[in-house]
Amino acid sequence: MNRRTALKLSGTAAATLLAAGCLSDVGDPGDADDPTGGNGTDGTDGDDSAADRYVVALEDAPLADETEHARLEVDLVDPRVEPEGPAQFSAALTNTTDETLVVSSGAPSPFGVVWASAKGDDYDNDVTLWTDGYEASSHVGTDGKRVEGVEDIGLVESLEADETLERTFELYPETPNLAAGEYEAEIGCRIGPEDGDGAPITVGVSVSVERAEDGPGNEIGNVEYEVADEAPSLDPDADVSGGERGEIVLVLETRAEANEAFEDDADAFVAETDFETETLVYVQGEAPQTCYRATVRSLSWTGDTLAGRVALERTADDTDPCGEAITYPAALARVETGDRRIEATDVEFVEE
């Protein structure tokens, strides 16, 4: 079994997989073809990487998938990767029926091994989303915080009515191959009645990892925020650097600033904002057609900088007509800032 197959099986393996017995090789951290030595550094023993601090963001969290029998939800519990502790993701599988269900997966149950792949890297520098269940499983081979092999085996587990199975996945500073960048992973299994076929239930996650500097005032972490159902229109007379067209990020710290920025100062979302502890952030992108919308994917702190990712999503199917005109889709987020200020912004706009 090659590495690509192992990743697939970890999310969707059925109970009728190949028999156990072949521990698959998924890479040697000391391989001469890997100049980093498998630890994301320049070949040292990893001491330097252990001092690194990162902030992790999970796009669109919490993420969920549902079938007629169950619900799977994935969320980011702790965004900080520090020597003092790992970033943590939770995955909770709940039986939403009044009968006992059967969960099937690769080893270990219930989700198998989960790797996160750097976008565009074709599995060469995957990082292991770690759980202690790997070490406890006789079907999984590990080295430090790295899974080196997993048997081709299908496991089954019962899940009682209304019961939840929860697992925590972690990223450590010493996680091999961990570096700043964008990663994708799948967490899932199959679930269904005891006397029937199970259906796949899978959550695809997009994780961004950014390096955080050490030192006072460099707190890191996700931001609590809420997005308006519809962004109010920007006032053409508003004092916006660079004009009202193109990519714009506005930080509005007072009600007066918000009322000045938008045409309709009676907007309910603005009116409900408590500017003592909350700040409004208006983001506007530039799209090539009329059928696009702006969606805030993630916001996080890096020191006093608010970093974010905003997707420009095409709302029409490829077969549906879409007006050929440059448009400026926008979104308005209410950010929980407490007693801190947003001193700078670093927002990335991506077209989807």
Side-chain angles (χ1 to χ4, degrees):
M1 185 180 79
N2 60 29
R3 187 169 189 171
R4 184 184 298 272
T5 304
L7 179 62
K8 180 180 179 182
L9 294 181
S10 71
T12 60
T16 56
L17 297 177
L18 298 176
C22 177
L23 187 66
S24 57
D25 179 11
V26 295
D28 182 354
D31 196 309
D33 292 333
D34 182 4
T36 70
N39 59 19
T41 69
D42 58 0
T44 65
D45 59 7
D47 289 343
D48 290 338
S49 64
D52 286 344
R53 300 169 69 242
Y54 296 93
V55 57
V56 175
L58 180 61
E59 291 188 0
D60 294 337
L63 298 154
D65 187 22
E66 291 188 75
T67 70
E68 60 178 317
H69 300 108
R71 176 179 174 84
L72 173 62
E73 185 168 297
V74 176
D75 205 354
L76 181 63
V77 178
D78 188 340
R80 297 174 296 277
V81 181
E82 302 175 297
E84 295 81 8
Q88 294 184 324
F89 304 84
S90 68
L93 177 67
T94 301
N95 180 348
T96 56
T97 73
D98 57 3
E99 61 179 311
T100 299
L101 301 178
V102 172
V103 180
S104 57
S105 72
S109 181
F111 302 118
V113 174
V114 180
W115 284 287
S117 302
K119 289 185 178 179
D121 203 42
D122 197 25
Y123 302 95
D124 288 337
N125 292 293
D126 291 352
V127 298
T128 301
L129 292 185
W130 181 261
T131 180
D132 290 341
Y134 299 153
E135 287 183 324
S137 174
S138 60
H139 305 293
V140 179
T142 62
D143 182 9
K145 301 300 182 185
R146 173 188 176 93
V147 169
E148 296 224 301
V150 58
E151 289 182 278
D152 284 334
I153 187 170
L155 302 178
V156 295
E157 181 174 354
S158 294
L159 187 61
E160 302 296 328
D162 297 323
E163 184 182 1
T164 296
L165 283 173
E166 188 167 3
R167 295 292 182 268
T168 298
F169 295 95
E170 299 170 323
L171 284 175
Y172 289 80
E174 64 269 28
T175 295
N177 292 329
L178 183 63
E182 304 290 327
Y183 297 85
E184 295 179 328
E186 286 189 354
I187 299 175
C189 57
R190 296 183 71 91
I191 187 167
E194 293 179 297
D195 57 354
D197 294 331
I201 185 167
T202 304
V203 170
V205 299
S206 294
V207 179
S208 64
V209 178
E210 297 182 5
R211 191 178 300 277
E213 298 179 0
D214 290 318
N218 282 312
E219 297 88 357
I220 59 177
N222 264 27
V223 173
E224 295 291 334
Y225 67 93
E226 181 182 2
V227 180
D229 292 336
E230 184 176 351
S233 299
L234 194 64
D235 192 324
D237 297 326
D239 185 12
V240 178
S241 177
E244 61 179 304
R245 302 301 185 190
E247 295 180 355
I248 296 173
V249 180
L250 288 181
V251 176
L252 306 169
E253 298 180 315
T254 68
R255 195 172 306 279
E257 290 177 346
N259 290 342
E260 182 179 351
F262 304 123
E263 288 184 320
D264 184 5
D265 59 8
D267 181 87
F269 191 81
V270 174
E272 294 167 359
T273 301
D274 180 2
F275 286 94
E276 293 294 324
T277 59
E278 299 170 329
T279 301
L280 291 177
V281 178
Y282 174 87
V283 292
Q284 175 184 284
E286 182 173 313
Q289 294 176 310
T290 59
C291 53
Y292 277 80
R293 67 185 174 198
T295 301
V296 178
R297 292 296 194 196
S298 64
L299 294 174
S300 61
W301 290 115
T302 301
D304 289 327
T305 296
L306 183 70
R309 184 179 174 88
V310 176
L312 302 178
E313 298 179 304
R314 194 176 191 274
T315 58
D317 293 334
D318 292 340
T319 57
D320 292 341
C322 189
E324 297 296 332
I326 300 298
T327 55
Y328 305 95
L332 181 65
R334 181 190 295 129
V335 178
E336 183 68 40
T337 48
D339 58 358
R340 70 191 300 177
R341 294 190 61 190
I342 301 172
E343 299 293 346
T345 59
D346 182 13
V347 176
E348 177 188 13
F349 291 88
V350 292
E351 186 178 327
E352 295 183 353

